[in-house]
Amino acid sequence: MSAQAQPLEVRFECLGLADLDDVMRIERLSYGHPWSRGAFEDSIAAGYQMQRLLAGNALLGYFVAMLGVDEVHLLNITVAPSHRQRGWAKLMLEALGLWSRGQGAKSLLLEVRVSNSRAILVYEAHGFARIGRRKSYYASGHGQREDAWVMRLAL
Ligand SMILES: CC(C)(COP(=O)(O)OP(=O)(O)OC[C@H]1O[C@@H](n2cnc3c(N)ncnc32)[C@H](O)[C@@H]1OP(=O)(O)O)[C@@H](O)C(=O)NCCC(=O)NCCS
């Protein structure tokens, strides 16, 4: 018997209201300032592109993106803590890029906290470039604010 791990079979499904208990659990584990349940509910109501990545019944991660005129804005991408550094964010970015191109978008845009070096590395490895810095874009506790990098990927 080989000790090699079998490749995991994964699939994307639309993220809906029934998934929000699981999503909120991952949000709270992942961020100092997680999205509220209401933010996800509003995104579903607005018809944003929201996908969850599953292996069997396990939720590996999810993303939320908004289609603009020539661009798609990535609003949230999160991988469950126990499933990180296995390429799942990369897979979600590839899937989002394909969908975005299919919608006629020319670029993918996102904001990321300047302190989120892990996410910045993942985005840069995927081809995103920093195109600007938004001052005091995020709340960061104790009434403080934190800047965001604006990053762009040409599709
Ligand atoms: C940022 C975040 C989404 C990245 O998710 P992730 O799934 O860990 O990222 P990936 O695994 O796709 O990143 C690619 C990395 O995995 C590695 N990788 C790819 N395939 C792999 C595999 N089969 N086995 C092991 N590692 C692999 C890549 O080499 C790369 O590693 P490196 O950057 O250390 O060299 C995740 O850390 C997260 O959810 N963080 C909290 C929420 C957050 O900050 N979101 C972004 C807000 S803007």
Side-chain angles (χ1 to χ4, degrees):
M1 279 258 298
S2 160
Q4 247 185 347
Q6 293 296 311
L8 200 54
E9 208 170 286
V10 298
R11 66 188 187 280
F12 284 102
E13 287 182 2
C14 286
L15 195 161
L17 290 174
D19 307 313
L20 292 188
D21 286 348
D22 289 343
V23 164
M24 287 310 298
R25 219 168 288 130
I26 295 174
E27 273 292 300
R28 289 191 200 102
L29 290 171
S30 299
Y31 299 99
H33 293 80
W35 273 27
S36 66
R37 196 181 182 95
F40 283 99
E41 289 168 347
D42 290 348
S43 298
I44 292 170
Y48 292 166
Q49 171 66 343
M50 302 173 73
Q51 295 283 323
R52 58 195 180 124
L53 181 66
L54 295 160
N57 291 327
L59 179 59
L60 305 180
Y62 49 87
F63 66 83
V64 180
M66 183 178 74
L67 179 62
V69 178
D70 268 343
E71 65 198 30
V72 166
H73 204 128
L74 178 57
L75 303 175
N76 188 322
I77 181 166
T78 309
V79 173
S82 54
H83 295 288
R84 287 183 190 156
Q85 295 211 257
R86 290 175 205 170
W88 301 132
K90 191 167 176 270
L91 181 69
M92 290 196 284
L93 290 169
E94 277 163 11
L96 178 62
L98 275 176
W99 176 82
S100 303
R101 238 176 274 142
Q103 301 294 315
K106 303 283 183 287
S107 58
L108 264 180
L109 285 175
L110 59 83
E111 279 93 16
V112 56
R113 286 177 187 271
V114 293
S115 65
N116 194 349
S117 42
R118 171 78 205 136
I120 293 167
L121 277 176
V122 170
Y123 297 141
E124 285 179 338
H126 198 76
F128 280 86
R130 300 175 207 201
I131 59 164
R133 185 164 172 141
R134 289 200 207 286
K135 275 295 214 198
S136 305
Y137 187 74
Y138 292 109
S140 65
H142 308 292
Q144 303 289 300
R145 307 289 301 176
E146 179 176 355
D147 293 357
W149 287 118
V150 183
M151 300 186 79
R152 175 177 181 271
L153 175 72
L155 293 172

